[in-house]
Amino acid sequence: MTKFIVRWAINAVALYVAVLIVPGIEYLGEWTGILWLALIFGLLNALVRPLLKFLTCPLIILTLGLFTIVINTLILMLATSIGQAFDLGLTVDGFWPALLGSLVISIISV
């Protein structure tokens, strides 16, 4: 249980830092919205990411693992669209800000 809470907190901090650093990613909401977005992001990473990695295994091998950055970008964009459905206040302006945001989140999460 503590591992889950620590991972959730790391995701929340990583999302907040991505909002601060990356132009094109904006958050207009309360601090609890970041926690909900981190929960959505973590659930997508746990449930959807392994399926995407399995389906794109040849591309991951072909690009020597660099395609996982695109998978992380897609997960961030999916989390953003789910967050907008719940009116949490996170907006990403396109693919390139999502790519930079996913890189920031990946670096901080490591």
Side-chain angles (χ1 to χ4, degrees):
M1 184 68 173
T2 57
K3 185 177 180 182
F4 170 75
I5 293 172
V6 169
R7 197 77 178 132
W8 188 17
I10 290 171
N11 276 337
V13 169
L15 279 170
Y16 185 69
V17 170
V19 167
L20 291 178
I21 291 176
V22 178
I25 298 179
E26 296 179 6
Y27 177 71
L28 304 170
E30 298 179 8
W31 64 273
T32 55
I34 289 284
L35 294 176
W36 285 111
L37 285 167
L39 181 65
I40 292 168
F41 189 74
L43 286 174
L44 288 175
N45 270 334
L47 300 174
V48 176
R49 186 175 179 193
L51 178 66
L52 285 176
K53 279 184 143 180
F54 177 72
L55 292 175
T56 61
C57 187
L59 282 173
I60 292 172
I61 293 170
L62 185 67
T63 61
L64 301 175
L66 290 177
F67 194 75
T68 56
I69 296 170
V70 175
I71 292 174
N72 290 341
T73 303
L74 294 174
I75 295 292
L76 179 61
M77 292 176 78
L78 185 61
T80 301
S81 64
I82 292 172
Q84 286 176 348
F86 288 110
D87 198 29
L88 294 177
L90 183 70
T91 57
V92 177
D93 289 338
F95 179 78
W96 295 110
L99 182 79
L100 291 174
S102 69
L103 284 174
V104 169
I105 291 170
S106 296
I107 290 169
I108 292 173
S109 295
V110 167

